[in-house]
PDB file of all heavy atoms in Angstrom:
ATOM      1  N   LEU A  44      -3.615 -16.850  -0.099  1.00 96.00           N
ATOM      2  CA  LEU A  44      -4.891 -16.189   0.150  1.00 96.00           C
ATOM      3  C   LEU A  44      -6.026 -16.762  -0.702  1.00 96.00           C
ATOM      4  O   LEU A  44      -7.142 -16.948  -0.207  1.00 96.00           O
ATOM      5  CB  LEU A  44      -4.752 -14.677  -0.114  1.00 96.00           C
ATOM      6  CG  LEU A  44      -6.024 -13.843  -0.014  1.00 96.00           C
ATOM      7  CD1 LEU A  44      -6.637 -13.922   1.382  1.00 96.00           C
ATOM      8  CD2 LEU A  44      -5.717 -12.396  -0.407  1.00 96.00           C
ATOM      9  N   ALA A  45      -5.765 -17.040  -1.952  1.00 95.00           N
ATOM     10  CA  ALA A  45      -6.813 -17.413  -2.916  1.00 95.00           C
ATOM     11  C   ALA A  45      -7.770 -18.494  -2.417  1.00 95.00           C
ATOM     12  O   ALA A  45      -8.990 -18.310  -2.493  1.00 95.00           O
ATOM     13  CB  ALA A  45      -6.184 -17.803  -4.250  1.00 95.00           C
ATOM     14  N   PRO A  46      -7.314 -19.619  -1.894  1.00 93.00           N
ATOM     15  CA  PRO A  46      -8.256 -20.663  -1.479  1.00 93.00           C
ATOM     16  C   PRO A  46      -9.150 -20.262  -0.303  1.00 93.00           C
ATOM     17  O   PRO A  46     -10.218 -20.838  -0.105  1.00 93.00           O
ATOM     18  CB  PRO A  46      -7.376 -21.844  -1.082  1.00 93.00           C
ATOM     19  CG  PRO A  46      -5.986 -21.497  -1.416  1.00 93.00           C
ATOM     20  CD  PRO A  46      -5.928 -20.052  -1.766  1.00 93.00           C
ATOM     21  N   HIS A  47      -8.734 -19.273   0.467  1.00 93.00           N
ATOM     22  CA  HIS A  47      -9.506 -18.847   1.636  1.00 93.00           C
ATOM     23  C   HIS A  47     -10.632 -17.873   1.281  1.00 93.00           C
ATOM     24  O   HIS A  47     -11.469 -17.569   2.123  1.00 93.00           O
ATOM     25  CB  HIS A  47      -8.584 -18.204   2.677  1.00 93.00           C
ATOM     26  CG  HIS A  47      -7.650 -19.173   3.314  1.00 93.00           C
ATOM     27  ND1 HIS A  47      -8.024 -19.979   4.367  1.00 93.00           N
ATOM     28  CD2 HIS A  47      -6.357 -19.480   3.031  1.00 93.00           C
ATOM     29  CE1 HIS A  47      -6.994 -20.734   4.722  1.00 93.00           C
ATOM     30  NE2 HIS A  47      -5.979 -20.453   3.926  1.00 93.00           N
ATOM     31  N   LEU A  48     -10.632 -17.365   0.060  1.00 92.00           N
ATOM     32  CA  LEU A  48     -11.599 -16.335  -0.311  1.00 92.00           C
ATOM     33  C   LEU A  48     -13.003 -16.877  -0.531  1.00 92.00           C
ATOM     34  O   LEU A  48     -13.974 -16.144  -0.371  1.00 92.00           O
ATOM     35  CB  LEU A  48     -11.136 -15.615  -1.585  1.00 92.00           C
ATOM     36  CG  LEU A  48      -9.850 -14.811  -1.420  1.00 92.00           C
ATOM     37  CD1 LEU A  48      -9.363 -14.330  -2.777  1.00 92.00           C
ATOM     38  CD2 LEU A  48     -10.058 -13.654  -0.460  1.00 92.00           C
ATOM     39  N   LEU A  49     -13.113 -18.116  -0.911  1.00 85.00           N
ATOM     40  CA  LEU A  49     -14.412 -18.695  -1.239  1.00 85.00           C
ATOM     41  C   LEU A  49     -15.139 -19.162   0.008  1.00 85.00           C
ATOM     42  O   LEU A  49     -14.515 -19.627   0.967  1.00 85.00           O
ATOM     43  CB  LEU A  49     -14.232 -19.842  -2.223  1.00 85.00           C
ATOM     44  CG  LEU A  49     -13.455 -19.466  -3.494  1.00 85.00           C
ATOM     45  CD1 LEU A  49     -13.212 -20.699  -4.347  1.00 85.00           C
ATOM     46  CD2 LEU A  49     -14.170 -18.392  -4.282  1.00 85.00           C
ATOM     47  N   ALA A  50     -16.451 -19.033  -0.013  1.00 70.00           N
ATOM     48  CA  ALA A  50     -17.278 -19.483   1.118  1.00 70.00           C
ATOM     49  C   ALA A  50     -17.192 -20.996   1.244  1.00 70.00           C
ATOM     50  O   ALA A  50     -16.825 -21.698   0.301  1.00 70.00           O
ATOM     51  CB  ALA A  50     -18.725 -19.050   0.915  1.00 70.00           C
ATOM     52  N   GLY A  51     -17.550 -21.494   2.392  1.00 63.00           N
ATOM     53  CA  GLY A  51     -17.554 -22.935   2.631  1.00 63.00           C
ATOM     54  C   GLY A  51     -18.603 -23.638   1.793  1.00 63.00           C
ATOM     55  O   GLY A  51     -19.406 -23.009   1.112  1.00 63.00           O
ATOM     56  N   PRO A  52     -18.630 -24.984   1.831  1.00 58.00           N
ATOM     57  CA  PRO A  52     -19.558 -25.754   1.015  1.00 58.00           C
ATOM     58  C   PRO A  52     -21.026 -25.454   1.308  1.00 58.00           C
ATOM     59  O   PRO A  52     -21.878 -25.595   0.442  1.00 58.00           O
ATOM     60  CB  PRO A  52     -19.217 -27.214   1.339  1.00 58.00           C
ATOM     61  CG  PRO A  52     -18.278 -27.190   2.489  1.00 58.00           C
ATOM     62  CD  PRO A  52     -17.759 -25.799   2.638  1.00 58.00           C
ATOM     63  N   ASP A  53     -21.320 -24.991   2.516  1.00 55.00           N
ATOM     64  CA  ASP A  53     -22.709 -24.674   2.855  1.00 55.00           C
ATOM     65  C   ASP A  53     -23.033 -23.201   2.575  1.00 55.00           C
ATOM     66  O   ASP A  53     -24.101 -22.712   2.911  1.00 55.00           O
ATOM     67  CB  ASP A  53     -22.985 -24.986   4.326  1.00 55.00           C
ATOM     68  CG  ASP A  53     -22.091 -24.190   5.279  1.00 55.00           C
ATOM     69  OD1 ASP A  53     -21.189 -23.454   4.792  1.00 55.00           O
ATOM     70  OD2 ASP A  53     -22.292 -24.293   6.496  1.00 55.00           O
ATOM     71  N   GLY A  54     -22.069 -22.472   1.960  1.00 57.00           N
ATOM     72  CA  GLY A  54     -22.275 -21.065   1.642  1.00 57.00           C
ATOM     73  C   GLY A  54     -21.950 -20.132   2.785  1.00 57.00           C
ATOM     74  O   GLY A  54     -22.017 -18.918   2.636  1.00 57.00           O
ATOM     75  N   ALA A  55     -21.591 -20.670   3.934  1.00 60.00           N
ATOM     76  CA  ALA A  55     -21.298 -19.837   5.096  1.00 60.00           C
ATOM     77  C   ALA A  55     -19.925 -19.189   4.955  1.00 60.00           C
ATOM     78  O   ALA A  55     -19.022 -19.742   4.339  1.00 60.00           O
ATOM     79  CB  ALA A  55     -21.342 -20.674   6.362  1.00 60.00           C
TER      80      ALA A  55
END
Side-chain angles (χ1 to χ4, degrees):
L44 175 61
H47 292 278
L48 294 171
L49 306 175
D53 60 355

